[in-house]
Amino acid sequence: MSVNLQTPIDYLKGVGPNRAELLRKELGIHTYQDLINLFPNRYIDRTKYYKINQIEQNSSEIQIIGVITNLQEVSQKRGKRLVATFKDDTETMELVWFRGIKWIKESIKLNTPYVIFGRTNWFNGIYNMPHPEMELQQEHDKSLRTAMQAVYPSTENLSNKGITNRVVSKIMQQLFLETKAKFEETLPTELLNSQGLISKSEALLNIHFPKNQNLLSRAEFRLKFEELFYIQLQLILKNIIHKNRIKGHPFTQVGNYFNDFFQHHLPFELTNAQKRVIKEIRKDLGSNAQMNRLLQGDVGSGKTIVAFMSMLMALDNGFQACLMAPTEILSVQHYNGLSDWCKKLNIRISLLTGSTKTSDRKIIHEQLENGQLQILVGTHALLEDKVQFNNLGFAIVDEQHRFGVAQRAKLWKKGPSRSVQEDRDNKPSTPPHILIMTATPIPRTLAMSVYGDLDLSVIDELPAGRKPIKTVHRFDNNRLKVFKFLKDEIAIGRQVYVVYPLIQESAKMDYKDLMDGYESISREFPMPQYQISIVHGQMKPADKDYEMQRFIKGETQIMVATTVIEVGVNVPNASVMVIESAERFGLSQLHQLRGRVGRGAEQSYCILMTSHKLSNDSKTRLETMCRTNDGFEIAEVDLKLRGPGDMMGTQQSGVLQLKIADIIKDQDLLKHARFCAHQILKDDPALKKSEHYPILKTYRALSKYKNIWNYIS
Ligand code: ADP
Ligand code: MG
């Protein structure tokens, strides 16, 4: 009879109720299954013996054979320490104890070979090993060990309660004994062969008890592949199921609005990337499925016109469209930009934000419901229950990462109101097509994991003729030179941003920094020769808007602001972006801010101001900014600096909690695993073929246990 891996851990010999409770609480291990998926953090290679003269600083735990020639107690500020002189045939080092001195002194045998094991430190001109694990060589040679010893994740509480690494190893061994080390294969034979993967049983055995480095590597490879493969398989299947189940409005007509705009009103020649993406969207909208597409494009790559032309496809088919942006300023900008185009096409468009007057709001609500209004632009005010569309067919969300998934879901329900018949049948209403736009490029592998269930479009080309922004890093004591440069730029008619950090926790201090900065700039750039705008989060929306408008119209030359201008603001005549305390900004934020300039024909500049005190990470960020303008390259560096969880926010961290693979180090494997999953599903989307049965079974178990690693049964 085979052991059921869903058996509670309490039943494993050597565990018992107390240990089971601890394992559950500390490591989330409830079943045999969970234990087997407790993968080691690292391994200690106990096949290798070091000589003392081979020790290097920062070496990991090592073992050495030698003899103790001398023992000495040394008094120190608090208590004593015991120091042993330890020698081999190359050098001398010290072993040090701070606790249990009496017992150690009594039990140590001088001038007898010991095998010592531990981490070494360099101190006072000599290597020492504090609290070594030690064993007489004679006994060491007799005991049985696997060459590579697994080190498992642990907690303080576990080790305090006596569940040491050795104990975990032992119960793991017990598990392998009880199961006879036979585990059900979870990948099809064909895939194992084509990818050169070892079997599941072999992989599990060697991840816990590696026979040698080579088998360990193959075990890791197999398990990483499997983990990534199943994550991707689930995401792709979600997409397929979505497409099959969720009907969308088929936009079959390519009609007057689109053609009229394309033929007569295009303000510029579209880039090839823009054309390609419009085609991708058009293809989706023409199908029967509801579109869920993520549009990625660097700042300034021209996502807005793509969004607009997509909305025209909805309008051409008699539907309404909306565009939601994360801030008031951005919504206003979008509205202003789109209004110009709408006027030419006779399209009715409105703006709805938190500061829309009640009377205007009423009109908007009415016109939305009776269908007069064709396009609505706004902030998350669009999500309010009172906002009801007549027949919303297409919704665009700009800067997705600022909205939660829940908010995205709300948009779904704003589809056309249901017909009486549909109501009677209790059919859900058809959701609008959804296009999500993000201006912060996401590294490809991350996008695959977090948005792997969405279709992805990328604008990977900037409009022709853009001059790359020149970015420099300057220290605060060079401020006068920087001011001089700003004056020169203003003298030839350009405008300048000066941005201060705003971080929630220290909002007050930041506000003071901003005001101090504003004052010193006012002194340096006196009226009436210079006019300065200021925008920050504590201002009323109307005042913000007023100041913004002055800058947009060119009435002011300098815009002093906090990061409220981070996203989307478009003033093509602005050519210099000065970022104060640049070391306090994250990479994507710096890149976003820089994207506010370089929007016109002129050469633009970004000046990163910092103090002399810089952490290594800050230095990397600044260097990266000075080196490249490529948002995708910057995103890759950001991912390495911050890690995936931080980068994407906690919302999505579930997808990113990998047990064995590493989204950064295993990028190539991730792409490959996705490719393999894709191939299989292309050939057999319902996983009906008998050779795919292991996948189907695993997939079902996965959906049941919700955890990628809980699926062998
Ligand atoms: P983002 O992708 O950052 O939202 P926008 O859509 O705001 O970029 O476009 C940035 C600027 O580039 C705008 O001023 C826009 O008019 C201009 N633009 C967009 N596409 C093109 C193009 N194909 N050729 C020339 N200029 C373009
Ligand atoms: Mg934009």
Side-chain angles (χ1 to χ4, degrees), residues 254-273:
V254 177
N256 295 335
Y257 286 127
F258 188 92
N259 288 335
D260 187 16
F261 185 74
F262 190 72
Q263 281 158 16
H264 307 295
H265 302 292
L266 263 192
F268 33 68
E269 168 111 24
L270 296 176
T271 63
N272 285 328

Side-chain angles (χ1 to χ4, degrees), residues 268-271 274 298-304 463 466 570 599:
F268 33 68
E269 168 111 24
L270 296 176
T271 63
Q274 285 170 323
D298 211 342
V299 266
S301 62
K303 292 184 289 294
T304 315
R466 288 265 171 87
N570 193 19
R599 305 190 144 234

Side-chain angles (χ1 to χ4, degrees), residues 614-623 641:
L614 294 174
S615 68
N616 282 339
D617 279 8
S618 300
K619 277 184 202 152
T620 308
R621 289 198 294 265
L622 296 165
E623 279 161 19
L641 287 180

Side-chain angles (χ1 to χ4, degrees), residues 15 39 46 131 168 303 445 581 589 667 670:
V15 176
F39 297 135
R46 294 202 70 162
H131 287 258
V168 176
K303 292 184 289 294
T445 48
S581 305
Q589 235 182 345
Q667 296 196 4
L670 168 59

Side-chain angles (χ1 to χ4, degrees), residues 300 303-304 330 334 398-399 437 439 568 596 599:
K303 292 184 289 294
T304 315
L330 247 185
H334 270 313
D398 197 11
E399 316 295 345
M437 304 199 289
R596 298 309 107 215
R599 305 190 144 234

